[in-house]
Amino acid sequence: MRWVAGVIWLILLGFAMLLPGEKFPEIQAFDFQDKLIHTVLFFILSFIWAGVRLKEQKPNWLLFSLLVFLPSILFEIGQYWIPNRSLDIWDLVFNQIGVWAGLLGYFKISSKVFRLD
């Protein structure tokens, strides 16, 4: 069932990242707010997909990369053609930081929760 949550989050994330820029409210609470948002959104995506297991009960890294790394890149490139959005390398960097943080966070938490000591 976890993959259903992953697919739903991926669709919502794609919709938000490919929405024209004028659809977003202009709220600037602090510097780098946009980068923090990118990091958190991809942290959640990565955290969800890191827990998806197939029959062999090991992480499927090909599936993970296709459903987390690749969309990050494609969404950012897709923004080039969206009105009032732009391709921003720093957004891509912070997307990837979120991906790695989510992956590490999942394995850190799961190793504590499922430890058999």
Side-chain angles (χ1 to χ4, degrees), residues 16-76:
M17 290 197 68
L18 298 174
L19 201 61
E22 68 269 358
K23 301 290 184 187
F24 293 103
E26 285 293 326
I27 300 172
Q28 187 65 28
F30 54 89
D31 291 341
F32 295 103
Q33 170 182 311
D34 175 56
K35 305 312 180 223
L36 178 62
I37 292 169
H38 278 266
T39 304
V40 169
L41 292 176
F42 280 91
F43 173 91
I44 294 168
L45 180 68
S46 179
F47 192 89
I48 292 170
W49 279 108
V52 172
R53 302 279 195 246
L54 296 179
K55 293 177 186 171
E56 69 273 2
Q57 294 299 312
K58 292 183 204 170
N60 185 327
W61 298 110
L62 178 61
L63 178 66
F64 184 80
S65 64
L66 289 175
L67 294 170
V68 179
F69 289 115
L70 189 59
S72 168
I73 295 165
L74 294 177
F75 293 155
E76 202 58 46

Side-chain angles (χ1 to χ4, degrees), residues 5 13 31 40 46 55 73 79 96 99-100 110:
L13 187 56
D31 291 341
V40 169
S46 179
K55 293 177 186 171
I73 295 165
Q79 288 181 357
Q96 297 308 313
V99 166
W100 284 106
S110 67

